[in-house]
């Protein structure tokens, strides 16, 4: 089938191995000191490996390739091994063993009781004291217009769906003063790059912040924004903020 899949430029690859760690499906390995796409059917096409490459050796192409086989990837992960082991005997190519996809692991997150008590003491449980910072509607990337007055001169926040639920003060710390658009590349199953490129080209965007979760599938959102900016030819400041599954802002 014809689909989007990664391509690795061996000339630009330094063999650092960062993409191997970033690819939680195990589609990439190191062979003879160079990163290789080992299994087409383990590449989900979301591109979490792209921002991890310091030399820009990884890009997307559209070509004939086996369909992404999520069941095969999960079966291999459930067996306690890295999926790439099925396609190579080279331990460097196989990468570190993974117990399961971080994006689908169930986690119980417990916050200290004193945090909740402090919120109540401050009266912050009252919805009237926590005004929304939403600046436009709709906010889904698939639904927002390409051109709108509120985009001109705006600081654009491109946020993964889960971030506002994971990070307690998302409105205050991220949405305040920004125009917000949201999406999930894994659930929507679309490439946002073209739509975001059109928005950037048609409007005077002042800055872009990407708020993503630490899970691998969120790399698709970050990759789409980076590709949209590059294709637009505009020099717009970009900041990427990663939120942990426990709701903490991670250092990059």
């Amino acid at each position: 089938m014809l689909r989007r899949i990664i391509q690795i430029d061996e000339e630009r690859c330094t063999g650092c191995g960062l993409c191997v760690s970033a690819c939680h499906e195990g589609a990439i390995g190191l062979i003879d000191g160079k990163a290789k796409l080992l299994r087409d059917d383990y590449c989900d096409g979301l591109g979490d490996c792209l921002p991890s490459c310091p030399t820009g050796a990884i890009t997307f192409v559209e070509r004939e390739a086996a369909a992404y086989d999520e069941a095969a990837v999960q079966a291999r992960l459930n067996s306690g091994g890295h999926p790439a082991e099925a396609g190579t005997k080279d331990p460097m190519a196989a990468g570190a063993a993974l117990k399961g996809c971080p994006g689908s692991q169930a986690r119980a997150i417990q916050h200290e009781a004193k945090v909740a008590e402090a919120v109540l003491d401050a009266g912050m449980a009252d919805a009237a004291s926590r005004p929304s910072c939403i600046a436009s509607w709709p906010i889904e990337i698939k639904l927002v217009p390409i051109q709108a007055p509120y985009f001109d001169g705006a600081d654009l926040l491109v946020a993964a769906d889960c971030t506002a639920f994971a990070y307690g003060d998302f409105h205050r710390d991220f949405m305040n003063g920004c125009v917000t658009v949201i999406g999930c590349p894994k659930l929507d199953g679309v490439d946002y790059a073209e739509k975001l490129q059109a928005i950037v080209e048609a409007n005077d965007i002042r800055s872009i912040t990407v708020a993503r979760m630490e899970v691998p599938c969120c790399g698709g959102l970050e990759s789409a924004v980076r590709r949209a900016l590059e294709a637009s030819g505009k020099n717009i400041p970009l900041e990427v903020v990663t939120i942990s599954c426990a709701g903490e802002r991670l250092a990059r």
Side-chain angles (χ1 to χ4, degrees):
M1 63 179 294
L2 183 66
R3 71 178 184 96
R4 188 179 66 164
I5 196 166
I6 65 161
Q7 176 175 273
I8 302 173
D9 184 344
E10 291 189 16
E11 294 296 322
R12 302 179 70 175
C13 175
T14 62
C16 67
L18 292 176
C19 59
V20 178
S21 300
C23 181
H24 293 272
E25 285 73 27
I28 305 175
L30 290 179
I31 298 178
D32 296 329
K34 297 288 185 178
K36 301 278 189 180
L37 176 60
L38 304 173
R39 294 278 302 258
D40 283 2
D41 57 339
Y42 284 145
C43 178
D44 58 12
L46 293 176
D48 202 49
C49 55
L50 269 69
S52 72
C53 180
T55 64
I58 306 176
T59 56
F60 280 123
V61 295
E62 282 202 8
R63 64 169 174 82
E64 289 292 332
Y68 172 59
D69 192 342
E70 185 174 5
V73 171
Q74 193 59 52
R76 187 62 180 171
L77 292 172
N78 290 341
S79 71
H82 194 279
E85 293 171 359
T88 177
K89 297 182 181 297
D90 184 345
M92 289 293 290
L98 300 175
K99 297 300 181 182
C101 175
S104 59
Q105 286 178 347
R107 306 184 187 194
I109 300 170
Q110 297 181 345
H111 296 282
E112 295 183 12
K114 63 181 181 182
V115 175
E117 290 172 359
V119 170
L120 291 174
D121 290 343
M124 298 176 74
D126 183 357
S129 68
R130 302 294 296 272
S132 171
C133 292
I134 191 168
S136 62
W137 185 266
I139 59 174
E140 286 282 353
I141 296 174
K142 293 190 298 182
L143 302 179
V144 295
I146 289 177
Q147 191 169 22
Y150 52 75
F151 278 134
D152 284 325
D155 295 306
L156 181 64
L157 173 66
V158 183
D161 288 352
C162 299
T163 51
F165 293 94
Y167 190 86
D169 284 322
F170 193 80
H171 276 245
R172 184 191 67 185
D173 292 354
F174 289 96
M175 292 177 61
N176 189 22
C178 295
V179 171
T180 303
V181 296
I182 67 171
C184 175
K186 188 160 190 173
L187 293 182
D188 288 346
V190 297
D191 183 4
Y192 299 128
E194 185 175 347
K195 178 73 174 284
L196 292 171
Q197 177 187 344
I199 291 173
V200 169
E201 290 177 342
N203 303 279
D204 181 23
I205 303 294
R206 186 167 61 178
S207 70
I208 300 177
T209 299
V210 176
R212 56 163 290 182
M213 297 298 295
E214 64 176 331
V215 296
C217 48
C218 261
L221 185 66
E222 179 181 346
S223 171
V225 173
R226 291 186 183 278
R227 286 183 285 118
L229 264 179
E230 183 179 0
S232 74
K234 290 190 174 182
N235 185 22
I236 299 175
L238 172 65
E239 179 184 10
V240 179
V241 180
T242 303
I243 307 299
S244 75
C245 293
E248 299 171 337
R249 183 169 178 162
L250 302 177
R252 286 179 66 94

